Amino acid sequence: TKASPAPTPDPDTVPVPATGPAKDCTKEFCDNQLSPDYLLRYQINVPDGTTADVCDGCTISMEMIYSGDAWVSVAFSTDGQMIGSEAVIGLPGDNKVEKYNLGGKSDSAVLPMPESQQTLSDTSIEFNGEQTIMKFTKIMKEAGEIEISSADNTFLWAHGLSDVLGYHSQNRASIALNLSSGASETVAVPNKSAWLAHGIMAFFAWGVFVPFAVQSSLLRDLLPKGPLWYKLHRGLNSTAFAFFAVVFVIAVAFTSKEGATHFNNKHQKMGLAMFIMAAFQVSGGLFRPHVPEEGQEKSLVRKSWEVGHRVLGVTLLACGFWQMREGIALYAIKYSVSESGEGSLGIAYWVWIGIMTALIILGGGYFKLRSTDSSDD
């Protein structure tokens, strides 16, 4: 048997009590309202010669009822995480209800179990014009599979946006459920504090320190004469890179902890590309060609370095702006942030980025023109 029937929650997991009366779910179907439009109904079938506590040969009959036309699922887990769990998924378009191994978060990693493990009985799925209803009966203790206990369990639920199996967006959660009594509690997705720190530090790196570093160079005429602008530019960029390094380490470490695939989605791939470009940019700043003495012309190497430094800097800043907004969206999905909450944060984010961009473009353009006019005079 692969699993313990009573998994130990992650330290970051915060149970949220659910409402609803407790029942004897061996004698009648128990209802658990998973979300406003998704209902779980189940009953434990205890054969003669055993008890609900021992439950040798027990099966469980389940019904998943979704208000809409979409694929539906329930999964059995040891830790509340998708990866490594085992699911029953119903596809109304294909009229199929099958057991799946959840090997990853991509579609290609969600695979039907071998035919020898397709032991469900009394399966059906239909869309009746208003609701998608999946029904099945499953053996609770099967060799080589996660055991379903008559007491405490960790289940996952999800449903899609259509009847074709694909990404579920925010339509999913984990619950701790006592099958005998029907008592349940929602289990929060773990590692929230780590991913929140990842996002906050990324914002300070690419939304604050790097824009200020660029502004300290472009708006240097507003600062006292001398090397102050350069010290600010170098210090802010160095701080941003240090923050970004920590952000990168957090992402790699907690992706590994959660058993997910590295550098698999657009956000992860962009993060890797940015880390490589940022390391190159910092190295270029450290080993840059020196500024010629007053009255001497800049060498071709220096001119080329300045162009490359600016182009790479602008590229990194633009990528950083996109990357942070993508990160907000991923965090909202992972931790079920409301659409209004995500929308409000998104508006505040783009207002801030708009201000930073305006200072860079308008301020930098103004002082560039003023400098050109002065040289013409």
Side-chain angles (χ1 to χ4, degrees):
T1 299
K2 291 170 57 177
S4 165
T8 302
D10 188 284
D12 288 339
T13 297
V14 182
V16 182
T19 60
K23 296 193 211 176
D24 182 355
C25 301
T26 65
K27 301 187 182 305
E28 60 181 318
F29 267 85
C30 289
D31 294 352
N32 191 297
Q33 194 71 45
L34 302 173
S35 74
D37 53 9
Y38 202 30
L39 174 67
L40 164 64
R41 303 187 71 237
Y42 69 91
Q43 181 175 352
I44 301 172
N45 308 306
V46 182
D48 295 336
T50 188
T51 64
D53 292 336
V54 177
C55 228
D56 286 335
C58 285
T59 62
I60 183 168
S61 296
M62 286 189 161
E63 299 178 6
M64 309 299 296
I65 304 171
Y66 170 64
S67 299
D69 184 11
W71 63 264
V72 294
S73 73
V74 62
F76 316 107
S77 175
T78 61
D79 58 6
Q81 297 296 294
M82 174 183 174
I83 298 173
S85 298
E86 298 165 355
V88 175
I89 300 177
L91 305 175
D94 297 335
N95 195 29
K96 283 186 177 180
V97 177
E98 293 183 305
K99 292 158 67 177
Y100 283 72
N101 285 313
L102 305 182
K105 295 186 177 181
S106 62
D107 292 349
S108 61
V110 178
L111 299 172
M113 291 186 182
E115 191 62 33
S116 60
Q117 291 181 264
Q118 298 294 346
T119 56
L120 301 175
S121 61
D122 302 323
T123 62
S124 68
I125 185 165
E126 65 170 345
F127 175 62
N128 62 15
E130 294 183 356
Q131 297 176 317
T132 300
I133 303 173
M134 175 175 71
K135 299 180 181 181
F136 64 88
T137 297
K138 185 185 183 307
I139 302 168
M140 293 174 64
K141 298 179 183 179
E142 298 190 75
E145 297 183 19
I146 294 174
E147 179 181 325
I148 302 174
S149 167
S150 59
D152 294 327
N153 299 269
T154 299
F155 289 171
L156 313 176
W157 63 263
H159 63 77
L161 304 174
S162 72
D163 62 2
V164 178
L165 185 60
Y167 189 46
H168 49 60
S169 187
Q170 296 181 354
N171 305 313
R172 57 94 182 98
S174 304
I175 61 168
L177 178 60
N178 186 296
L179 290 178
S180 294
S181 67
S184 68
E185 55 186 19
T186 300
V187 179
V189 180
N191 305 322
K192 185 175 184 179
S193 57
W195 290 115
L196 186 60
H198 170 86
I200 291 173
M201 292 187 71
F203 173 75
F204 274 101
W206 295 105
V208 179
F209 297 140
V210 171
F212 283 178
V214 174
Q215 292 161 18
S216 68
S217 175
L218 295 176
L219 309 180
R220 69 184 70 175
D221 289 347
L222 297 176
L223 298 172
K225 297 291 184 183
L228 177 61
W229 77 267
Y230 173 71
K231 291 180 179 179
L232 288 171
H233 183 76
R234 181 180 60 185
L236 288 165
N237 274 326
S238 298
T239 303
F241 185 71
F243 269 54
F244 188 38
V246 175
V247 165
F248 189 81
V249 169
I250 289 174
V252 171
F254 281 88
T255 297
S256 294
K257 182 179 179 181
E258 294 174 2
T261 304
H262 289 288
F263 312 119
N264 185 50
N265 60 35
K266 293 183 293 183
H267 184 76
Q268 293 171 331
K269 291 175 182 177
M270 177 64 81
L272 176 61
M274 286 180 62
F275 190 75
I276 294 171
M277 289 190 291
F280 189 79
Q281 180 82 330
V282 170
S283 299
L286 291 173
F287 302 105
R288 67 194 179 281
H290 291 296
V291 178
E293 297 292 335
E294 188 174 351
Q296 293 182 338
E297 186 178 352
K298 292 180 181 178
S299 67
L300 179 61
V301 174
R302 174 71 192 190
K303 291 179 180 178
S304 299
W305 175 86
E306 288 181 355
V307 172
H309 186 71
R310 289 167 184 157
V311 169
L312 186 54
V314 170
T315 301
L316 275 167
L317 191 59
C319 290
F321 289 167
W322 177 89
Q323 180 78 334
M324 287 184 288
R325 185 60 186 91
E326 183 74 3
I328 291 171
L330 290 173
Y331 182 89
I333 292 170
K334 187 178 183 71
Y335 293 104
S336 300
V337 177
S338 66
E339 290 186 9
S340 61
E342 181 190 353
S344 298
L345 182 58
I347 291 171
Y349 169 76
W350 283 121
V351 167
W352 174 262
I353 295 303
I355 293 172
M356 293 295 100
T357 303
L359 286 172
I360 291 171
I361 295 175
L362 300 179
Y366 169 76
F367 283 105
K368 182 69 174 177
L369 288 173
R370 199 175 77 166
S371 175
T372 302
D373 291 342
S374 298
S375 61
D376 289 342
D377 293 340

